[in-house]
Amino acid sequence: MRFFDSHAHYDDRRFSNEFPGGVDAALRYVFSQGVTRICDVGASLRSSNEALGMADFYAGQEGYPSICASVGLHPCDALEVPDIMTADVLDEIRTLAAHPKAVAIGEIGLDYHWDEDHHDRQKTMFDLQLSLAEEVKKPVIIHDRDAHGDTCDILRAHPNATGILHSYSGSPEMARQLADKGWYISFSGPVTYKNAAKVKEACVIVPDELLLIETDAPYLPPVPHRGKMNHSGYLVHTAEIMAEIRGVTAAEIAELTYRNACRVFGLSDN
Ligand code: NI
């Protein structure tokens, strides 16, 4: 079995501070577990730069996964950009997006769980980054937490945007509508949780060619590792549950999602 973890944050300080041996050991370990490709997802300018740096550093290194990166501002990080800096920050993302290892703009979107007071600012930054993705012709990686209605409204205003709904948490109906428009839908640890009936239902609906798997490591560990730090080696647990839900094998989920991730990111799948 080979896995493509379509969304992880190995630039996160938890890997350097808490994983025995740090990031390098974590990457070597997950490679030994069959994870041969990872998209390291930027959330801020700092992490976008670090994701690209890591992708360059590990390029062609034997015994490590091949890493690609996405660049962009997570809705919570976007709030730290003062209005007056907006154009400069977007220019910087545009520059980062031209890096050969940058395969997507993200993660961008809306998070009404952690931020209840600045929805308009979040929407503006989401909208601007979607326009940027359309301009540079890259897919987007979307973070939508407790903001399903507004996320869909903003996506409708960007008919040329394509990409991924990451760590999907919306309704089955919304998954169907997004899939009809060609959006990829990515499932993470929460699909393994007992109380995740709706997410499981959504996982059934997504057509084979739009299905993705991810960890969002170091966050969102799957059952039976809840409470621990997540890493891509735990993908197999998520794959097993997705396989059970869809009536296939975990190996089929691994291979299908691997090829889909290559396609959405514009990478060859060998
Ligand atoms: Ni993430």
Side-chain angles (χ1 to χ4, degrees):
M1 254 195 272
R2 58 174 185 172
F3 279 106
F4 193 143
D5 188 349
S6 70
H7 190 120
H9 303 277
Y10 282 89
D11 57 273
D12 192 285
R13 293 290 173 265
R14 284 190 69 187
F15 277 107
S16 38
N17 295 337
E18 294 173 39
F19 197 95
V23 182
D24 194 82
L27 289 170
R28 237 180 309 129
Y29 175 72
V30 306
F31 183 78
S32 78
Q33 302 300 298
V35 181
T36 62
R37 285 181 185 249
I38 293 169
C39 183
D40 197 86
V41 173
S44 61
L45 287 179
R46 178 196 67 74
S47 70
S48 299
N49 269 296
E50 288 184 7
L52 290 172
M54 215 162 21
D56 272 338
F57 183 80
Y58 287 103
Q61 282 211 44
E62 222 169 290
Y64 292 88
S66 166
I67 298 175
C68 59
S70 76
V71 298
L73 297 183
H74 183 284
C76 297
D77 292 77
L79 287 175
E80 283 165 28
V81 176
D83 277 3
I84 194 168
M85 293 291 292
T86 305
D88 289 345
V89 166
L90 285 170
D91 273 345
E92 201 161 337
I93 297 171
R94 187 180 287 107
T95 304
L96 294 175
H99 187 288
K101 293 283 182 190
V103 295
I105 302 294
E107 55 187 293
I108 62 175
L110 301 173
D111 193 318
Y112 294 172
H113 179 80
W114 291 109
D115 176 73
E116 293 180 2
D117 303 325
H118 308 91
H119 294 183
D120 285 343
R121 182 65 180 152
Q122 285 196 37
K123 287 189 213 171
T124 302
M125 294 304 282
F126 184 27
D127 186 61
L128 288 168
Q129 292 185 90
L130 279 166
S131 297
L132 175 63
E134 289 171 313
E135 176 199 321
V136 302
K137 298 190 166 54
K138 298 250 190 231
V140 292
I141 299 172
I142 293 176
H143 172 104
D144 157 25
R145 184 138 185 223
D146 298 347
H148 308 318
D150 284 353
T151 298
C152 289
D153 285 348
I154 293 176
L155 290 184
R156 260 192 291 278
H158 290 272
N160 295 321
T162 59
I164 302 166
L165 271 288
H166 122 77
S167 195
Y168 187 75
S169 62
S171 66
E173 300 75 45
M174 178 174 157
R176 196 189 305 275
Q177 285 168 19
L178 289 163
D180 284 346
K181 293 192 183 114
W183 286 90
Y184 288 77
I185 306 210
S186 183
F187 292 92
S188 57
V191 76
T192 68
Y193 301 171
K194 242 200 186 129
N195 61 359
K198 275 199 149 177
V199 179
K200 288 183 207 282
E201 243 180 90
C203 185
V204 178
I205 281 174
V206 178
D208 277 352
E209 66 276 13
L210 297 174
L211 188 72
L212 292 174
I213 193 168
E214 65 170 280
T215 54
D216 203 17
Y219 311 103
L220 303 179
V223 172
H225 297 292
R226 288 189 80 172
K228 294 191 208 159
M229 181 172 102
N230 198 6
H231 59 67
S232 309
Y234 292 161
L235 272 179
V236 63
H237 302 293
T238 306
E240 276 165 4
I241 296 297
M242 287 169 69
E244 198 181 299
I245 293 169
R246 292 173 67 91
V248 295
T249 65
E252 284 170 296
I253 292 290
E255 188 56 28
L256 186 67
T257 54
Y258 190 100
R259 281 188 268 113
N260 290 343
C262 289
R263 189 181 328 108
V264 68
F265 293 138
L267 304 166
S268 75
D269 67 357
N270 46 38

